[in-house]
Amino acid sequence: MNEVLLRNLTPSVLAILVRRGADFAAAEDAVQDALVEAVRVWPADPPRDPKGWLVTVAWRRFLDTVRADAARRRREDLVNEEPAPGPAPAADDTLRLYFLCAHPSLTPSSAVALTLRAVGGLTTRQIARAYLVPEATMAQRISRAKRTVSGLRFDQPGDVATVLRVLYLVFNEGYSGDVDLAAEAIRLTRQLAAVIDHPEVAGLLALMLLHHARRAARTAPDGSLVPLAEQDRSRWDTASIAEGVAILHAALARDRLGEFQAQAAIAALHADAPTAEETDWVQIVEWYDELAHLTDSPIVRLNRAVAVGEADGPRAGLAALAALDASLPRHTAVAAYLHERDGDLATAARLYAEAAQKAPNLAERDHLTRQAARLNARR
């Protein structure tokens, strides 16, 4: 069973059902039923046209649900629209589906959560982590969003800002999480940039390219994380860096600064430094100041504290960190790093060990555990 194929086909199949008149919640349930059926049937009898098979089975499941609904008589007219078995349209509907999920009837945060769950393939836990809320809270938010759009026709696409937020979070999860979605997010953002001339769309594409350029150097052969300062910069993708910088410069020249352009500018400064020691931390702090003004994000201020520690010394970084909520993700890891830079190895080792217990994934936990062990061995 090719799980990657099923995951890649899901957005297009879902979009086809929505276009044919299915409300989103019912269409999503029907597609999930079709995927379960595919897992059961395909190993023994693989179809010649997987997408067409999924469309046909999902549509039939949707019609079964409609017939059982209280509005049976009104919806039974849809039976005649059942698509015949055969090749399905080859067009990629994923980006269109992102816009449809960003429905005007939803708040931006609900639209993002719903799209990440239904189209992006992220789990409720992954989405909750991105939003810094408990998993139960996010589950309720997604359920409310589904109820809100249930029964609506998806003929009112949402705004670009919401779609950009979704693509950004999908990329972040693919870049650092358990499911590799980064390349797909870049592909969709390229499509968006080709049809929408907006500096923030360009800024997001530049940001993705600049981060993705470092992908090969982020892990050692054994799978362990390699911090930015220790990465082999010869392994960075210089073509992606050059493309990202060129796109960013064109966007910044339009003098309509947004958060994605500011983040891309920070990534570009890291990419421009021949060595970690030559990084222009003073300018990075200035860009974090711009970004904090634009977003008022606690995560931005956490990253700014690291930059301040590099530009003005670890005690200045610790002072900036002290103003932030200690429950922020990776707050303890940042504190450990700054204490190590300040020479307080005992405190740093203890904090690295605490941070390891809070790590969101196994690779990060192992990295922090090794940092604690390294400092304990030096004491």
Side-chain angles (χ1 to χ4, degrees):
M1 170 56 58
N2 191 331
E3 295 181 2
V4 174
L5 174 63
L6 287 176
R7 187 168 65 244
N8 289 340
L9 288 176
T10 297
S12 294
V13 175
L14 185 54
I16 289 171
L17 265 65
V18 169
R19 283 207 309 271
R20 291 183 175 274
D23 67 78
F24 184 86
E28 184 185 13
D29 290 341
V31 172
Q32 292 300 319
D33 287 344
L35 294 175
V36 171
E37 185 69 7
V39 171
R40 186 182 71 82
V41 172
W42 286 11
D45 185 21
R48 285 179 295 181
D49 177 19
K51 184 176 179 180
W53 189 97
L54 286 172
V55 169
T56 300
V57 172
W59 183 255
R60 287 173 177 162
R61 293 300 172 92
F62 166 69
L63 292 180
D64 288 344
T65 301
V66 169
R67 294 188 187 102
D69 192 84
R72 178 190 307 270
R73 292 182 182 178
R74 180 177 62 84
R75 298 189 180 184
E76 278 182 347
D77 292 338
L78 296 173
V79 174
N80 296 326
E81 299 178 16
E82 180 180 337
D92 183 352
D93 295 300
T94 307
L95 187 58
R96 181 175 182 272
L97 197 57
Y98 271 60
F99 274 93
L100 293 176
C101 284
H103 198 276
S105 64
L106 296 172
T107 63
S109 61
S110 294
V112 170
L114 178 62
T115 312
L116 290 172
R117 183 71 183 92
V119 189
L122 273 63
T123 66
T124 303
R125 176 174 298 178
Q126 290 170 320
I127 302 168
R129 191 172 65 222
Y131 269 91
L132 309 181
V133 299
E135 184 177 353
T137 300
M138 183 53 65
Q140 292 174 356
R141 184 179 300 177
I142 294 172
S143 296
R144 285 196 300 269
K146 287 183 177 180
R147 288 195 299 271
T148 299
V149 300
S150 180
L152 294 176
R153 291 193 64 84
F154 279 69
D155 53 2
Q156 294 179 279
D159 67 347
V160 176
T162 300
V163 173
L164 287 178
R165 177 62 50 188
V166 174
L167 290 169
Y168 173 67
L169 291 174
V170 169
F171 176 82
N172 277 349
E173 192 60 43
Y175 187 68
S176 60
D178 302 322
V179 182
D180 187 359
L181 298 167
E184 173 69 357
I186 291 174
R187 184 183 71 85
L188 293 173
T189 306
R190 283 191 187 279
Q191 289 186 5
L192 188 60
V195 297
I196 296 180
D197 182 22
H198 191 286
E200 272 296 82
V201 177
L204 179 58
L205 179 57
L207 174 64
M208 289 179 175
L209 290 169
L210 289 163
H211 276 303
H212 206 59
R214 304 199 301 260
R215 186 70 178 269
R218 290 186 71 246
T219 54
D222 63 359
S224 60
L225 290 180
V226 180
L228 176 60
E230 301 172 17
Q231 288 177 15
D232 179 358
R233 300 188 177 215
S234 68
R235 299 185 65 197
W236 290 1
D237 184 346
T238 55
S240 291
I241 290 173
E243 182 185 6
V245 169
I247 292 171
L248 173 63
H249 284 170
L252 292 175
R254 301 174 67 173
D255 198 24
R256 293 166 57 191
L257 184 63
E259 61 172 298
F260 295 124
Q261 295 168 74
Q263 288 192 58
I266 293 169
L269 286 167
H270 283 297
D272 187 54
T275 66
E277 293 73 23
E278 295 173 87
T279 303
D280 189 346
W281 286 107
V282 172
Q283 193 172 169
I284 287 176
V285 171
E286 292 174 355
W287 275 111
Y288 270 122
D289 288 338
E290 292 279 2
L291 190 55
H293 176 72
L294 289 166
T295 66
D296 195 29
S297 164
I299 297 300
V300 169
R301 298 186 185 280
L302 183 69
N303 291 331
R304 179 185 178 277
V306 176
V308 169
E310 299 289 352
D312 301 327
R315 295 196 178 182
L318 287 168
L321 187 65
L324 302 176
D325 186 345
S327 67
L328 281 172
R330 297 185 173 88
H331 184 285
T332 308
V334 170
Y337 173 74
L338 291 172
H339 276 290
E340 180 183 357
R341 287 282 316 281
D342 194 39
D344 187 351
L345 302 189
T347 299
R350 174 177 58 79
L351 290 173
Y352 275 130
E354 289 181 16
Q357 298 301 315
K358 305 173 185 177
N361 56 63
L362 181 61
E364 190 168 335
R365 186 184 70 188
D366 288 347
H367 170 71
L368 293 167
T369 300
R370 282 193 294 271
Q371 296 293 86
R374 173 178 58 82
L375 293 186
N376 282 326
R378 291 172 55 185
R379 292 166 54 194

